[in-house]
Amino acid sequence: MSQRFTVSKSGGDRRPSDIQGEVNQLFEGDEPSACGPAAGEAAPTDAEDVVVVLKGDSNPKESSPFINSSEAAAEKSQQYDGKNMALFEEEMDTSPMVSSLLSSLANYSNLPQGCKEHEEAENNEAESARKKPVKAPQLGTLMGVYLPCIQNIFGVILFLRMTWLVGIGGVIGTFIIVFMCCTTTMLTAISMSAIATNGVVPAGGSYYMISRSLGPEFGGAVGICFYLGTTYAGAMYILGAIELLLIYIAPKAAIFPLEGLEGAEAEAALLNNMRVYGTILLTSMATVVFVGVKYVNKLALVFLACVILSILAVYAGVIKTGIEPPIFPVCVLGNRTLVWKNFDVCAKTIETANGTVTTQLWRMFCDSPFLNATCDKYFTANNVTQIQGIPGITSGVLADNLFGNYYEKGDLIAKPTLESVEDHDDPLTNANRYVLADITSFFTLLVGIYFPSVTGIMAGSNRSGDLRDAQKSIPVGTIAAITTTSTVYMSSVILFGACIEGVVLRDKFGEGVHGNLVIGTLAWPSPWVIVIGSFFSTCGAGLQSLTGAPRLLQAIAKDSIVPALRIFGHGKANGEPTWSLLLTACICESGILIASLDSVAPILSMFFLMCYMFVNLACALQTLLRTPNWRPRFKFYHWALSFLGMSLCLTLMFLCSWYYAIVAMGIAGSIYKYIEFAGAEKEWGDGIRGLSLSAARYALMRLEEGQPHTKNWRPQLLVLVSTDAEQNVEQPRLLSLTNQLKAGKGLTIVGTALEGTYLANYEQAQRADQALRKLMETEKVKGFCQVTVSSNLRDATSHLLQASGLGGLKHNAVLVSWPRNWKQGDEHQTWRNFIELVRETTIARLALLVPKNISAFPSNGERFTEGHIDVWWIVHDGGMLMLLPFLLRQHKVWRKCKMRIFTVAQMDDNSIQMKKDLTTFLYHLRIDAMVEVVEMHDSDISAYTYEKTLVMEQRSQMLKQINLTKNEREREIQSITDSSRGSIRRKNPAAVTTQLSVTEEPPATSKEEKPEEEVQLIHDNTTPASPATPATPLTPGEEAQSPGEQIQRTWTEKCDGEAAKPLGVTTQEDIKDIFNMKPEWENLNQSNVRRMHTALRLNEVILKKSSEAKLVLLNMPGAPKNRTGDENYMEFLEVLTDGLNRVLLVRGGGREVITIYS
């Protein structure tokens, strides 16, 4: 992924202070954007050789029908022969004229080629604990993991709902449910064991494991879900205890009596009783937990003993049914099960010595106790049968209970094998005499109700701080507990189906067996063993939930990853989570107000399933990523098992209740995003960071596999900015422009260069890095930043250009601002660096974007309500000039600007056909723009062109040959300019119609900052006279000119100190200049003359068409191949862009970037 090479430091003993100004001026006007080297990175030594690591390769290129096309070479050479396009003649090998591009439109094609070392102590308690002598933990596998898991897994569902589940779902259906749920918890336990044995797990259990494996966002989201699940589990246990109390232990204690109520009224009374008693019990439990948790822990063993004794009693009862089945008769009328209440004999009449006597059952269905009474039709038509409720394990009843019987709410619980005579048209009467289904049942409902009975597998890991050897005890104890409980559950399904009659199994509240708990009828020696044992076990489980949930919330709050929960990290002086307990009690009360065990169970199933799903995800992720720190002592795990467990959890979530699943995932997602945006920054070495690294590596390797297609091309910008002496970014508008180009969704790297050695300038580099980051955040630029330090700024910039990016994620375009004040005598290195940058981007086949007058560009807060973005498409650059305006117009700053495209037609071009072809081309590109073809015919080169070329060349020669001080240079330049000014006007005053701007004049720049301002010729139509520069008197000939042709001139002082004579006054010496200048013209470099002619003509046309445009995009000519003409190149560009407010010079990167194909 990386390449190492050595760069030898070039000769020259230039001090950093000498070179610092040169780089700052090279990038003056640029703005910063991303990040530099991270703190703590090793710095290279101050030696002759510097080791540099280059990441990645340059962007792969794509062949193009227009670029590097050898067939069109001759044609292109002819098209550049004209004087109008001489400025671009050196581009002929790579950039064809637009006219040749449009003529090839029909053949257009795009062919693709082929952390910290350890967890930091985040509260003072950990530090104080180190100072105190801590007693070594003594708990082993049995007491520390196995028995707590047994106690938490066995619970209210086993005693209150398991028989009903078997009766409704059938033995087969219920066995499938139990097997799925137990498999899920077993796979989760395997994943948890791998995580728990991968290093020391402090107290915190599942939350700690998930957060440290998946990061603070996932950890916080899943931790809160686990907390909610534990809290609602407490509500479920309390509701189970109240159900046992009010239905089986003390029915008379109901505040809202059920006697005489039917249907909805009876159901409402029962729910209200549950709410009242549930709130009372919750308050009592919360008080106990608040007063002393140690009493809860001491009672845990008592509650565990109750659970174990109850289960043993059930197994003993099953064995007894095979020997002597207990007597639990069920009374059935026809095939309908009767509620065995208020009657003693299951018969209509009985024979006595006095004859036939009606029974209490008769009186329930008839209007009198006499045999001639009027009775219920169904009672009259059907016989009463008494069947054995528990026929025994050898009775063969298992065959009848194999398959499920699902009911709608209010359906009669019937025995299908018994005969029934009924008229289906008759309404159901005396409904309260029959056992009815209290809820609508279906398979997925059973899954949601059952799953809470297998939760509790985290009990061992939650006690990891108390274990003698957690890495051994947690896997062994948890897996052994799950194996034990799964065996009990699956055997219970079969044994219940084999021992108990189906109508009794489907009788949820035991109404048909004298109101007994159904599982209690099977228990030996007495049903009360189960009733009392299950009551205490559910109360104990509720206390455990109210003890564990507040501590879990406190752990999350102390991690400070959820700012809104920080208050819950505080508690009593002894650390008890008082505020967390209060919130837990309030949430638990919301579950109690639901008042239905069957409605609360699916809710907590969602939260537990989500927690287990992320435990499996954490293990699978760590295993697949193969991070160096992933070395679990528990070896019996595999990523496929974890993935299967995760899939089962997700499946069960939607099986239980799809809408609850969506709500739970929505809650977790909201918490995740909240932590992401508002939470504290945490670095826990989590797997998500590792996943990001692996995904990035994989994506980068994929990018290296093949050439990117044109459709996938996007501007990936390297933004070169400069910093001042305080390492603050100059010209921040450059980053505003970067932000406005972000519609390309490409990479952005903001880089800056510093002069000196890395060791000596490390602090400055860090300050520059922070300045870049801050400005990037302010301008909302997403990307990276890079600061490079080298012996001189030219090399540092070159290093940025070469080494930035990584593989396929490497920049393909460079954004750098035009160097300001480049003509000042002490700024010669600035423009030389700029030209070298142009050459380097050309050889590296990178696109180059150069905004001129960057300070005039809009900020991100500005809005253009109208205006145009003008594109002057002179040579084909691969489509960059088309793509950039499109990207800009996606941003709100430029959204309301319209796009205009101008192209230039030569003498032999058919401008009408060119416009038609260009319109068609833009239509296929799906770009809306107005099209205009500008005709530029060959014209004679004006005297003004010769004079400007002469001044340019004389100045260039003088700077090369004379090593003068700054003031002397200015005087020399001034004298040359003054001597040629008069001749320019005298020879052809009407031809001087274009502004000559020797140096760019940014807004609010004083005269003192621009020493060559005096030699400016300012076009009256575009720039008003400066108040500080009095205009010269005009001759009568000048007054006759149109306003657009008037020329304003300045008073200057010649080098000898004399005041210059007014330029409108002609002297004998001036007349001699007319005859003296022509030979000098003939000695001029004709190539420079032609280029100057092109620049002046193009500038004239652009000013005429685009002077009011909000932005002008223009092809940027390439740097001269002969380095002796570098300063002339800068002058050409100045002339080309003279008078334009905002200009973006663009050079293509040598490949197609836009296509007409889908």
Side-chain angles (χ1 to χ4, degrees):
M1 294 291 292
S2 65
Q3 301 172 356
R4 183 177 293 269
F5 62 88
T6 301
V7 179
S8 297
K9 189 165 70 174
S10 60
D13 296 323
R14 305 176 66 195
R15 293 175 300 170
S17 59
D18 295 335
I19 308 173
Q20 179 66 46
E22 297 175 4
V23 180
N24 289 345
Q25 305 219 331
L26 170 61
F27 297 119
E28 203 167 12
D30 295 1
E31 295 181 16
S33 167
C35 316
E41 290 179 356
T45 58
D46 189 9
E48 286 300 316
D49 292 339
V50 180
V51 176
V52 182
V53 177
L54 258 193
K55 294 185 176 180
D57 200 350
S58 60
N59 278 342
K61 307 301 187 294
E62 180 174 338
S63 61
S64 162
F66 304 115
I67 297 178
N68 299 330
S69 177
S70 58
E71 289 81 4
E75 181 183 358
K76 280 189 286 184
S77 64
Q78 293 175 1
Q79 290 172 347
Y80 281 95
D81 284 343
K83 293 189 289 291
N84 288 327
M85 292 296 109
L87 188 61
F88 297 94
E89 62 188 9
E90 289 193 357
E91 305 293 299
M92 57 187 298
D93 292 333
T94 56
S95 302
M97 290 296 295
V98 174
S99 55
S100 66
L101 166 74
L102 295 175
S103 64
S104 306
L105 180 62
N107 298 322
Y108 184 85
S109 64
N110 249 323
L111 302 176
Q113 295 174 344
C115 131
K116 294 180 182 178
E117 294 289 353
H118 302 288
E119 182 70 23
E120 61 180 358
E122 296 190 88
N123 53 61
N124 296 329
E125 295 176 8
E127 295 180 3
S128 60
R130 293 193 194 108
K131 300 175 184 177
K132 299 176 183 178
V134 180
K135 184 179 178 181
Q138 297 296 325
L139 292 179
T141 303
L142 181 67
M143 295 300 296
V145 180
Y146 180 76
L147 291 179
C149 284
I150 291 286
Q151 181 184 2
N152 279 268
I153 294 173
F154 286 137
V156 64
I157 300 297
L158 173 63
F159 301 118
L160 291 182
R161 293 291 182 269
M162 182 59 84
T163 54
W164 178 78
L165 290 171
V166 174
I168 297 294
V171 172
I172 295 176
T174 309
F175 190 87
I176 291 173
I177 293 173
V178 172
F179 182 78
M180 284 175 60
C181 294
C182 291
T183 302
T184 302
T185 54
M186 178 61 78
L187 293 173
T188 303
I190 291 172
S191 300
M192 184 192 70
S193 299
I195 297 173
T197 58
N198 186 51
V200 178
V201 178
S206 58
Y207 163 69
Y208 181 90
M209 290 188 294
I210 294 172
S211 62
R212 271 55 177 181
S213 296
L214 293 180
E217 294 87 1
F218 275 112
V222 179
I224 291 176
C225 284
F226 190 54
Y227 162 75
L228 292 173
T230 306
T231 304
Y232 275 105
M236 183 187 73
Y237 290 131
I238 290 173
L239 289 174
I242 299 303
E243 185 176 308
L244 284 164
L245 178 68
L246 293 180
I247 295 179
Y248 304 112
I249 298 176
K252 302 294 184 182
I255 296 175
F256 301 92
L258 303 178
E259 296 294 334
L261 300 179
E262 296 185 13
E265 293 180 354
E267 182 180 357
L270 176 62
L271 294 181
N272 288 331
N273 283 319
M274 301 279 283
R275 292 184 180 107
V276 172
Y277 277 99
T279 303
I280 294 171
L281 185 57
L282 171 63
T283 305
S284 304
M285 287 183 173
T287 304
V288 171
V289 172
F290 176 77
V291 171
V293 177
K294 57 183 179 180
Y295 300 112
V296 176
N297 294 331
K298 288 180 179 179
L299 288 173
L301 284 177
V302 177
F303 298 141
L304 176 61
C306 293
V307 173
I308 294 175
L309 285 175
S310 299
I311 293 173
L312 291 177
V314 171
Y315 277 100
V318 169
I319 295 172
K320 186 176 181 297
T321 61
I323 304 169
E324 182 184 351
I327 306 301
F328 275 101
V330 178
C331 192
V332 180
L333 176 61
N335 63 358
R336 301 175 181 177
T337 307
L338 295 172
V339 175
W340 199 308
K341 188 169 62 173
N342 299 326
F343 69 91
D344 52 357
V345 179
C346 182
K348 294 181 180 180
T349 59
I350 55 174
E351 298 293 333
T352 63
N354 297 326
T356 302
V357 179
T358 58
T359 62
Q360 292 175 329
L361 184 61
W362 176 282
R363 299 186 188 100
M364 291 168 61
F365 286 93
C366 301
D367 56 2
S368 72
F370 304 108
L371 293 175
N372 59 353
T374 303
C375 298
D376 182 89
K377 288 185 179 180
Y378 187 82
F379 180 78
T380 305
N382 290 275
N383 297 323
V384 174
T385 309
Q386 179 175 299
I387 61 175
Q388 179 60 280
I390 302 179
I393 194 170
T394 58
S395 64
V397 74
L398 178 64
D400 297 333
N401 294 330
L402 282 177
F403 304 102
N405 295 274
Y406 298 99
Y407 295 101
E408 295 288 332
K409 183 177 181 179
D411 284 355
L412 295 161
I413 304 298
K415 182 174 174 59
T417 56
L418 295 179
E419 293 183 2
S420 175
V421 179
E422 58 184 309
D423 187 350
H424 295 286
D425 295 332
D426 288 342
L428 178 64
T429 56
N430 295 298
N432 61 329
R433 311 298 184 193
Y434 303 109
V435 178
L436 304 176
D438 66 321
I439 60 171
T440 300
S441 54
F442 41 89
F443 181 80
T444 56
L445 173 73
L446 304 187
V447 177
I449 292 174
Y450 173 74
F451 188 80
S453 65
V454 296
T455 60
I457 62 173
M458 301 290 188
S461 62
N462 290 344
R463 297 166 182 248
S464 56
D466 300 325
L467 299 175
R468 188 183 306 116
D469 185 358
Q471 296 193 8
K472 175 184 175 184
S473 298
I474 289 177
V476 174
T478 305
I479 292 175
I482 292 175
T483 303
T484 303
T485 54
S486 299
T487 303
V488 170
Y489 281 132
M490 287 188 279
S491 62
S492 297
V493 171
I494 298 172
L495 293 176
F496 291 166
C499 296
I500 305 176
E501 177 60 49
V503 291
V504 179
L505 288 173
R506 291 185 283 277
D507 184 1
K508 182 184 289 186
F509 302 111
E511 295 172 303
V513 285
H514 302 279
N516 282 301
L517 182 63
V518 175
I519 194 173
T521 61
L522 187 61
W524 180 87
S526 167
W528 286 101
V529 175
I530 292 290
V531 172
I532 301 300
S534 58
F535 177 77
F536 281 113
S537 69
T538 50
C539 287
L543 279 172
Q544 291 287 348
S545 296
L546 290 178
T547 303
R551 280 160 177 72
L552 179 58
L553 181 62
Q554 187 181 43
I556 298 171
K558 283 187 175 181
D559 267 344
S560 298
I561 57 174
V562 184
L565 296 180
R566 284 175 185 159
I567 187 176
F568 299 106
H570 306 292
K572 293 193 293 186
N574 60 355
E576 292 297 322
T578 308
W579 292 106
S580 297
L581 177 62
L582 182 61
L583 179 64
T584 301
C586 293
I587 296 174
C588 194
E589 176 65 18
S590 69
I592 288 172
L593 292 178
I594 296 174
S596 171
L597 182 68
D598 302 322
S599 300
V600 173
I603 296 176
L604 65 101
S605 294
M606 291 302 110
F607 293 124
F608 277 119
L609 279 167
M610 184 166 292
C611 177
Y612 296 165
M613 179 175 73
F614 280 102
V615 169
N616 285 295
L617 174 62
C619 181
L621 199 61
Q622 299 277 30
T623 306
L624 289 173
L625 292 178
R626 298 180 181 178
T627 53
N629 192 50
W630 180 246
R631 302 183 300 275
R633 290 185 182 275
F634 181 77
K635 301 298 182 183
F636 304 100
Y637 69 94
H638 193 271
W639 66 267
L641 294 177
S642 300
F643 188 78
L644 178 60
M646 184 179 67
S647 303
L648 277 173
C649 288
L650 192 61
T651 303
L652 288 174
M653 283 179 67
F654 282 92
L655 275 180
C656 293
S657 173
W658 63 268
Y659 45 89
Y660 279 167
I662 292 175
V663 170
M665 295 174 78
I667 292 174
S670 301
I671 297 169
Y672 179 96
K673 298 305 291 184
Y674 174 73
I675 295 173
E676 187 177 46
F677 286 111
E681 289 289 334
K682 297 288 181 181
E683 177 51 68
W684 288 331
D686 51 88
I688 292 297
R689 297 292 180 91
L691 177 63
S692 300
L693 180 62
S694 288
R697 175 182 170 275
Y698 175 76
L700 286 172
M701 297 302 293
R702 287 291 305 272
L703 288 175
E704 288 287 283
E705 287 179 5
Q707 302 285 350
H709 193 274
T710 298
K711 288 185 290 186
N712 292 326
W713 193 94
R714 60 198 62 195
Q716 304 194 143
L717 296 175
L718 171 62
V719 186
L720 297 177
V721 300
S722 60
T723 55
D724 58 20
E726 298 299 323
Q727 309 307 326
N728 295 319
V729 177
E730 299 175 341
Q731 296 292 357
R733 288 293 171 86
L734 197 61
L735 278 196
S736 300
L737 178 61
T738 304
N739 174 273
Q740 292 155 26
L741 284 168
K742 70 181 181 181
K745 305 296 184 185
L747 169 74
T748 301
I749 302 173
V750 181
T752 190
L754 299 179
E755 185 178 21
T757 63
Y758 186 63
L759 285 176
N761 293 276
Y762 177 75
E763 291 185 0
Q764 292 91 321
Q766 292 304 302
R767 286 200 301 271
D769 178 81
Q770 292 303 316
L772 293 181
R773 291 176 186 271
K774 184 177 180 180
L775 187 59
M776 287 179 68
E777 184 178 351
T778 302
E779 296 292 342
K780 298 180 180 179
V781 174
K782 301 290 187 183
F784 310 95
C785 54
Q786 190 167 348
V787 179
T788 301
V789 183
S790 187
S791 58
N792 61 76
L793 295 181
R794 173 83 287 280
D795 289 345
T797 307
S798 181
H799 296 162
L800 273 175
L801 195 70
Q802 297 174 58
S804 297
L806 180 63
L809 202 62
K810 191 175 176 66
H811 57 276
N812 54 26
V814 177
L815 177 62
V816 62
S817 76
W818 177 260
R820 293 185 304 169
N821 306 326
W822 65 272
K823 275 204 167 186
Q824 291 184 8
D826 57 350
E827 300 293 333
H828 66 280
Q829 194 59 41
T830 301
W831 57 263
R832 292 187 187 279
N833 289 347
F834 175 77
I835 295 176
E836 286 303 305
L837 179 65
V838 175
R839 289 194 174 103
E840 287 179 353
T841 56
T842 302
I843 198 68
R845 303 192 67 178
L846 300 174
L848 179 63
L849 313 178
V850 182
K852 194 165 181 286
N853 194 14
I854 185 64
S855 58
F857 276 66
S859 66
N860 291 326
E862 297 180 41
R863 303 286 185 275
F864 288 132
T865 56
E866 58 182 2
H868 296 94
I869 298 177
D870 286 357
V871 176
W872 283 84
W873 196 21
I874 300 169
V875 295
H876 180 54
D877 56 355
M880 281 290 290
L881 282 173
M882 301 294 163
L883 186 61
L884 292 176
F886 170 78
L887 296 179
L888 284 173
R889 291 183 69 235
Q890 306 305 304
H891 196 274
K892 51 193 174 184
V893 173
W894 304 93
R895 188 165 293 153
K896 294 187 178 180
C897 292
K898 298 187 184 315
M899 183 174 166
R900 297 189 300 190
I901 296 182
F902 298 90
T903 190
V904 177
Q906 294 294 295
M907 196 66 156
D908 53 350
D909 290 330
N910 185 340
S911 58
I912 298 176
Q913 186 61 37
M914 280 181 66
K915 182 174 182 178
K916 182 179 178 182
D917 290 343
L918 182 55
T919 304
T920 304
F921 186 43
L922 292 176
Y923 174 79
H924 288 306
L925 286 176
R926 291 91 62 201
I927 292 178
D928 295 326
M930 293 181 286
V931 174
E932 185 171 344
V933 177
V934 178
E935 296 184 353
M936 284 185 61
H937 305 300
D938 284 349
S939 62
D940 292 335
I941 298 176
S942 65
Y944 180 63
T945 302
Y946 281 107
E947 287 297 332
K948 276 205 52 83
T949 309
L950 178 61
V951 172
M952 178 184 72
E953 290 194 354
Q954 287 178 341
R955 176 183 180 277
S956 174
Q957 282 297 117
M958 187 170 299
L959 290 178
K960 290 177 183 178
Q961 296 176 2
I962 305 176
N963 186 14
L964 301 175
T965 65
K966 178 180 177 181
N967 290 335
E968 290 171 331
R969 285 181 196 168
E970 292 174 5
R971 288 180 178 179
E972 190 66 33
I973 294 168
Q974 187 63 60
S975 65
I976 296 171
T977 308
D978 289 343
S979 65
S980 57
R981 262 187 191 155
S983 60
I984 293 173
R985 182 183 174 278
R986 288 192 302 273
K987 287 186 179 296
N988 194 354
V992 187
T993 57
T994 309
Q995 172 191 357
L996 167 60
S997 175
V998 177
T999 178
E1000 180 183 357
E1001 181 177 4
T1005 304
S1006 66
K1007 182 175 179 180
E1008 286 73 22
E1009 292 173 330
K1010 297 172 60 64
E1012 292 187 353
E1013 185 177 2
E1014 302 161 349
V1015 298
Q1016 251 187 340
L1017 299 179
I1018 306 173
H1019 195 294
D1020 202 23
N1021 191 36
T1022 57
T1023 308
S1026 171
T1029 309
T1032 61
L1034 297 178
T1035 65
E1038 288 173 317
E1039 293 173 357
Q1041 294 174 350
S1042 65
E1045 294 176 334
Q1046 292 180 6
I1047 305 297
Q1048 289 182 343
R1049 293 178 175 79
T1050 63
W1051 293 95
T1052 63
E1053 289 190 6
K1054 302 188 71 172
C1055 59
D1056 57 2
E1058 294 180 34
K1061 58 182 176 289
L1063 294 175
V1065 179
T1066 304
T1067 64
Q1068 293 294 328
E1069 288 79 10
D1070 294 332
I1071 297 173
K1072 293 179 182 178
D1073 289 344
I1074 301 175
F1075 304 99
N1076 295 335
M1077 294 299 290
K1078 189 62 178 176
E1080 295 182 32
W1081 291 356
E1082 292 175 352
N1083 293 330
L1084 292 175
N1085 186 320
Q1086 292 304 307
S1087 174
N1088 286 342
V1089 173
R1090 287 187 288 111
R1091 292 174 188 228
M1092 182 64 75
H1093 178 69
T1094 300
L1096 286 169
R1097 288 295 310 279
L1098 278 176
N1099 179 259
E1100 181 181 352
V1101 173
I1102 294 172
L1103 278 176
K1104 182 179 178 181
K1105 298 287 186 181
S1106 302
S1107 59
E1108 301 299 325
K1110 300 299 183 185
L1111 178 64
V1112 175
L1113 285 85
L1114 182 63
N1115 286 113
M1116 181 179 180
K1121 296 177 180 177
N1122 182 3
R1123 294 179 184 271
T1124 58
D1126 283 357
E1127 60 277 4
N1128 299 340
Y1129 172 71
M1130 298 296 290
E1131 187 71 43
F1132 292 144
L1133 294 183
E1134 280 283 6
V1135 173
L1136 181 63
T1137 58
D1138 211 6
L1140 297 173
N1141 186 23
R1142 300 183 193 92
V1143 183
L1144 184 59
L1145 296 170
V1146 180
R1147 279 185 61 76
R1151 61 159 294 161
E1152 296 296 322
V1153 302
I1154 196 166
T1155 176
I1156 63 175
Y1157 298 112
S1158 61

